[in-house]
Amino acid sequence: MSGLWTGYADRLNLLVRAKTEPEARERLWQSLQLHMGFPAFLEYVHARVRIFLGDLTSERFGLEDDEYHALVDNTDSILHCAASLNRKSEKQCLNVNLRGSLEVIQLARRAQNHHGLRRYSHVSTVAVAGKRQNEVVQEDSSIDWARSDYDPYARTKKFCEHMVHQLLPDVPHTIFRPAIVMGDSRKPETTQFDMVQAFDMLARLPMLPLRPDDRIDIVPANYVGGAIVKIHQMEKPNYGIYHLSSGTGSQTYKELTDALAKQGGWGRPSYQPWLGGPFSKTVNWLAFRGGAVGYGASLLKVFWPYLDWNTVFDNSRVAQEMGEAPARFSTYAFPLLKWSRENGFKYPAKAWPGETTAGVGGEGRSFAQKGRSG
């Protein structure tokens, strides 16, 4: 959440999965250089960050007793945004999402018992709503335990929310549920390419097995990050759960492909929704093939249920807090795809310039984790 670095004065306790501080700083630099230059990064790390070398899935994060007690004593709010995004691996989702969240909740419990916790913010997902079709889902009606889930990722994230409510009833807590997070509306760059690459593969097809008037709920990463940071910092948010989404402002596939065709100078695809079944079977077959086609098919196989559900998530709560709705995907989709293609769907990361930094201590900090994905 780069806004925690650039928009506020809070100092941070950061849990980073690394064996040494230099390795941890390099991992942070790889993650944050999209948002800031190296001099600014160094300044923030020197003045506002204490790094804890640990693992989300280890008991007490694998920290020594004195380190863990220092973390408990010096944390006054917690932002839990680390998770496995591997929708295919139940083992990884159980280990990272469930065990990891339980460790963070236990930290919150101990901090609350020791000195009180200002806020616990938990980043979940709209996928906790389970299998839906042709709906506008409200925050308070998303969880339905009788409803089936699309994958282990959605299932474990739903139970993580349940743990927060059950185990931290006396701690002010906020649940954030992002929709499909793709790109940055301010600049055509990203470090997360899975969904971008799946969307790019669809954009290249002359025929789409989708309904043209179905909507897809895509929201830019800068809006999601800004909303989480702003609401986490609020003394008393108006709500306990927020969909970080485009809601009823979500665009249809036809609106998106028309915009891409106009900006890219290529033809508009034809829509043949009756091909959905055969397309899904073909994608499943190609997913086991090698090469770029196989990889792209494997991504489509994972995301296909979310592309075919024509379900959006009401965002009136977050729009109220932010004072604005998120940018429409069509306004930045083409520059994002163009930049991603030119860079081979890899972020052109800069190497560490070679300067060594020192860890710092401090009190009255927020705790967060460097994101972990599958």
Side-chain angles (χ1 to χ4, degrees):
M1 297 303 160
S2 61
L4 276 174
W5 295 68
T6 58
Y8 297 89
D10 283 16
R11 294 174 293 178
L12 294 175
N13 292 322
L14 277 178
L15 179 70
V16 182
R17 187 158 45 97
K19 295 181 179 179
T20 65
E21 284 221 8
E23 180 189 351
R25 294 189 212 100
E26 287 191 26
R27 292 199 69 199
L28 286 175
W29 168 236
Q30 292 295 310
S31 297
L32 293 168
Q33 60 184 253
L34 176 65
H35 308 287
M36 64 181 71
F38 190 69
F41 170 80
L42 278 184
E43 180 182 349
Y44 283 121
V45 170
H46 275 302
R48 292 173 48 191
V49 174
R50 179 173 181 179
I51 293 173
F52 289 83
L53 306 177
D55 192 307
L56 193 66
T57 62
S58 298
E59 184 177 0
R60 296 193 177 194
F61 311 124
L63 300 174
E64 298 293 337
D65 285 347
D66 58 342
E67 285 186 301
Y68 189 80
H69 291 315
L71 183 60
V72 171
D73 294 348
N74 297 324
T75 296
D76 63 8
S77 73
I78 293 176
L79 172 55
H80 178 33
C81 56
S84 170
L85 304 180
N86 190 335
R87 288 172 166 82
K88 295 181 291 185
S89 172
E90 185 166 354
K91 177 181 177 182
Q92 190 157 4
C93 285
L94 286 170
N95 196 35
V96 178
N97 297 348
L98 287 183
R99 285 186 60 209
S101 290
L102 183 58
E103 284 298 329
V104 181
I105 288 171
Q106 288 178 324
L107 170 66
R109 180 77 271 151
R110 289 165 180 140
Q112 172 72 4
N113 293 343
H114 183 267
H115 56 266
L117 203 61
R118 180 181 62 79
R119 177 159 307 284
Y120 182 94
S121 290
H122 182 88
V123 181
S124 184
T125 170
V126 296
V128 299
K131 292 188 176 181
R132 305 270 180 163
Q133 197 74 32
N134 307 320
E135 292 186 52
V136 177
V137 182
Q138 311 292 323
E139 281 93 343
D140 295 335
S141 60
S142 290
I143 300 294
D144 179 356
W145 290 98
R147 191 180 296 270
S148 297
D149 301 301
Y150 279 117
D151 49 41
Y153 169 72
R155 193 173 307 119
T156 54
K157 294 295 278 186
K158 181 167 68 176
F159 199 82
C160 287
E161 287 194 24
H162 182 66
M163 289 195 298
V164 173
H165 294 309
Q166 293 294 312
L167 301 178
L168 300 175
D170 56 334
V171 176
H173 55 266
T174 305
I175 304 293
F176 296 103
R177 296 183 186 141
I180 296 173
V181 182
M182 189 153 41
D184 187 313
S185 63
R186 303 164 301 180
K187 54 186 176 182
E189 298 179 28
T190 184
T191 57
Q192 303 297 319
F193 290 98
D194 280 1
M195 193 64 197
V196 177
Q197 196 158 358
F199 199 86
D200 176 70
M201 186 173 182
L202 284 174
R204 293 176 183 270
L205 296 177
M207 186 180 298
L208 290 174
L210 298 163
R211 295 174 293 272
D213 295 325
D214 278 8
R215 291 180 293 180
I216 180 168
D217 200 327
I218 297 173
V219 63
N222 53 300
Y223 188 87
V224 170
I228 291 173
V229 171
K230 180 177 181 178
I231 295 170
H232 178 78
Q233 299 281 343
M234 292 173 65
E235 182 177 347
K236 190 176 181 181
N238 289 299
Y239 305 98
I241 306 173
Y242 293 87
H243 284 160
L244 308 183
S245 60
S246 290
T248 56
S250 299
Q251 294 178 276
T252 66
Y253 285 112
K254 187 176 186 305
E255 287 176 318
L256 295 177
T257 54
D258 282 355
L260 286 172
K262 181 178 180 180
Q263 296 176 67
W266 58 68
R268 292 173 172 80
S270 65
Y271 284 88
Q272 305 293 336
W274 62 272
L275 286 172
F279 177 81
S280 180
K281 291 179 181 177
T282 302
V283 164
N284 290 342
W285 180 78
L286 288 174
F288 294 99
R289 316 293 290 181
V293 173
Y295 180 69
S298 69
L299 293 176
L300 280 177
K301 179 182 177 181
V302 169
F303 292 118
W304 179 251
Y306 299 98
L307 301 177
D308 193 41
W309 64 349
N310 190 34
T311 294
V312 300
F313 299 86
D314 182 73
N315 71 344
S316 55
R317 291 181 177 181
V318 70
Q320 174 187 336
E321 303 287 27
M322 296 294 285
E324 62 178 355
R328 291 160 71 84
F329 186 52
S330 63
T331 63
Y332 67 93
F334 177 73
L336 174 65
L337 290 182
K338 182 175 182 291
W339 179 87
S340 299
R341 290 171 177 177
E342 290 172 349
N343 287 279
F345 298 94
K346 294 180 181 179
Y347 182 71
K350 305 178 185 69
W352 182 271
E355 183 171 353
T356 303
T357 63
V360 295
E363 299 181 354
R365 296 172 180 260
S366 292
F367 169 74
Q369 316 87 41
K370 183 185 180 299
R372 171 178 183 154
S373 70

CSV table of all heavy atoms in Angstrom, one decimal, residues 118 147 175 180 184 191 209 252 274 300 312:
chain,number,residue,atom,x,y,z
A,118,ARG,N,-6.0,0.4,17.7
A,118,ARG,CA,-6.8,1.5,17.1
A,118,ARG,C,-7.7,0.9,16.0
A,118,ARG,O,-8.9,1.2,15.9
A,118,ARG,CB,-5.9,2.6,16.5
A,118,ARG,CG,-6.7,3.7,15.9
A,118,ARG,CD,-5.8,4.8,15.3
A,118,ARG,NE,-4.9,4.3,14.3
A,118,ARG,CZ,-5.3,4.0,13.0
A,118,ARG,NH1,-6.5,4.3,12.6
A,118,ARG,NH2,-4.4,3.6,12.1
A,147,ARG,N,-23.9,-21.2,-0.1
A,147,ARG,CA,-23.6,-21.0,-1.5
A,147,ARG,C,-22.2,-21.6,-1.8
A,147,ARG,O,-21.3,-21.5,-0.9
A,147,ARG,CB,-23.6,-19.5,-1.8
A,147,ARG,CG,-23.5,-19.2,-3.3
A,147,ARG,CD,-23.5,-17.7,-3.5
A,147,ARG,NE,-24.8,-17.1,-3.1
A,147,ARG,CZ,-25.8,-16.9,-3.8
A,147,ARG,NH1,-25.8,-17.3,-5.1
A,147,ARG,NH2,-26.9,-16.4,-3.4
A,175,ILE,N,-13.3,-4.6,6.9
A,175,ILE,CA,-13.0,-5.6,5.9
A,175,ILE,C,-13.1,-4.9,4.5
A,175,ILE,O,-14.0,-4.1,4.2
A,175,ILE,CB,-14.1,-6.7,5.9
A,175,ILE,CG1,-14.2,-7.3,7.3
A,175,ILE,CG2,-13.9,-7.7,4.8
A,175,ILE,CD1,-13.0,-8.1,7.7
A,180,ILE,N,-11.8,-7.2,-9.3
A,180,ILE,CA,-10.7,-7.5,-10.2
A,180,ILE,C,-9.8,-6.2,-10.2
A,180,ILE,O,-10.2,-5.2,-10.8
A,180,ILE,CB,-11.1,-7.9,-11.6
A,180,ILE,CG1,-12.0,-9.2,-11.5
A,180,ILE,CG2,-9.9,-8.1,-12.5
A,180,ILE,CD1,-12.6,-9.5,-12.9
A,184,ASP,N,-3.1,0.7,-13.2
A,184,ASP,CA,-3.1,2.0,-12.5
A,184,ASP,C,-3.7,3.0,-13.5
A,184,ASP,O,-3.2,3.2,-14.6
A,184,ASP,CB,-1.7,2.3,-12.1
A,184,ASP,CG,-1.6,3.5,-11.2
A,184,ASP,OD1,-2.2,4.6,-11.5
A,184,ASP,OD2,-0.9,3.5,-10.2
A,191,THR,N,3.0,-4.2,-11.8
A,191,THR,CA,3.9,-5.3,-11.4
A,191,THR,C,3.1,-6.6,-11.4
A,191,THR,O,3.7,-7.7,-11.1
A,191,THR,CB,4.6,-5.1,-10.1
A,191,THR,OG1,3.6,-4.9,-9.1
A,191,THR,CG2,5.5,-3.8,-10.2
A,209,PRO,N,-16.4,-15.8,-26.7
A,209,PRO,CA,-17.5,-16.6,-26.2
A,209,PRO,C,-18.2,-16.0,-25.0
A,209,PRO,O,-18.5,-16.7,-24.0
A,209,PRO,CB,-16.8,-17.9,-25.8
A,209,PRO,CG,-15.5,-17.5,-25.3
A,209,PRO,CD,-15.1,-16.3,-26.2
A,252,THR,N,-19.4,-2.9,-19.8
A,252,THR,CA,-19.7,-4.1,-20.5
A,252,THR,C,-18.5,-4.6,-21.3
A,252,THR,O,-17.6,-3.8,-21.7
A,252,THR,CB,-20.9,-4.0,-21.4
A,252,THR,OG1,-20.6,-3.1,-22.5
A,252,THR,CG2,-22.1,-3.5,-20.6
A,274,TRP,N,-22.8,-18.7,-27.3
A,274,TRP,CA,-23.0,-20.2,-27.3
A,274,TRP,C,-21.7,-21.0,-27.3
A,274,TRP,O,-21.7,-22.2,-27.1
A,274,TRP,CB,-23.9,-20.5,-28.5
A,274,TRP,CG,-23.2,-20.2,-29.9
A,274,TRP,CD1,-23.2,-19.0,-30.5
A,274,TRP,CD2,-22.4,-21.1,-30.6
A,274,TRP,NE1,-22.5,-19.1,-31.7
A,274,TRP,CE2,-22.0,-20.3,-31.8
A,274,TRP,CE3,-22.0,-22.4,-30.5
A,274,TRP,CZ2,-21.2,-20.9,-32.8
A,274,TRP,CZ3,-21.2,-22.9,-31.5
A,274,TRP,CH2,-20.8,-22.2,-32.6
A,300,LEU,N,-6.5,-18.2,-18.2
A,300,LEU,CA,-8.0,-18.1,-18.5
A,300,LEU,C,-8.8,-19.2,-17.8
A,300,LEU,O,-9.9,-18.9,-17.4
A,300,LEU,CB,-8.2,-18.3,-20.0
A,300,LEU,CG,-7.9,-17.0,-20.9
A,300,LEU,CD1,-8.1,-17.3,-22.4
A,300,LEU,CD2,-8.8,-15.9,-20.5
A,312,VAL,N,-21.6,-7.7,-10.4
A,312,VAL,CA,-20.8,-6.6,-10.0
A,312,VAL,C,-21.1,-6.3,-8.5
A,312,VAL,O,-22.1,-6.9,-8.0
A,312,VAL,CB,-21.1,-5.3,-10.8
A,312,VAL,CG1,-20.7,-5.5,-12.3
A,312,VAL,CG2,-22.5,-4.9,-10.7
